[in-house]
Amino acid sequence: DAGVIQSPRHEVTEMGQEVTLRCKPISGHNSLFWYRQTMMRGLELLIYFNNNVPIDDSGMPEDRFSAKMPNASFSTLKIQPSEPRDSAVYFCASSLADRGSPLHFGNGTRLTVT
Amino acid sequence: AQSVSQHNHHVILSEAASLELGCNYSYGGTVNLFWYVQYPGQHLQLLLKYFSGDPLVKGIKGFEAEFIKSKFSFNLRKPSVQWSDTAEYFCAVRISSASKIIFGSGTRLSIRP
């Protein structure tokens, strides 16, 4: 199993630009989560999907952030326009929709907005 | 609202010392509990989980955790730490199949060689 695949691994962009982060969950997993990790705020849940449907997006910081899951094997997190305070490591994780099922994390995307 | 508390933000130990990291959650119903580890520069990996049954669960690399329902706690332990255990440790809780997994703020563990 290839695990959760995220791309790109690193992204450096200028303030105001659009950023798109991508995630491919583990095949067969029907829950997908986007987290953001910073030194100041730790690990924050941004949004999660069950069966491609967004269930809880209360962690999305503001309207500049949007996430989609057009099918079971792909999700995107978009920031438009990006700001320096968005700099963080963004993790995608997937699991079975079973409360005993652990999350499997991708390697993350390190985003730097200058 | 459900929450997970890890009161130790940074723990420093010498090699071979015993480790206990605290984790408390706030929810009165059935829970599943997890401990994850994040080595420097890497993603989170599952250490162990509690689903049901024996409240003492054993995980990888010699770690174990005990679920004490009356105390709403799920503390992580290791009898003798190694330098390679230097990492950040996260406790997490999940309360139903459709719910999000809530993480604690993490505990950074530093091991002196």
Side-chain angles (χ1 to χ4, degrees), chain A residues 37 48 99-101 103 106-107, chain B residues 32 36 38 43 49 94 98:
Chain A
Q37 187 177 38
Y48 78 99
R99 62 185 176 89
S101 177
L103 295 184
N107 286 326
Chain B
N32 293 114
Y36 285 84
Q38 185 178 29
H43 62 282
K49 70 173 185 177
R94 191 173 199 178

Side-chain angles (χ1 to χ4, degrees), chain A residues 43-63:
Chain A
L43 195 63
E44 304 172 277
L45 176 65
L46 301 177
I47 185 171
Y48 78 99
F49 298 82
N50 270 3
N51 297 314
N52 313 338
V53 176
I55 302 299
D56 185 345
D57 65 354
S58 59
M60 296 285 262
E62 48 199 271
D63 291 346

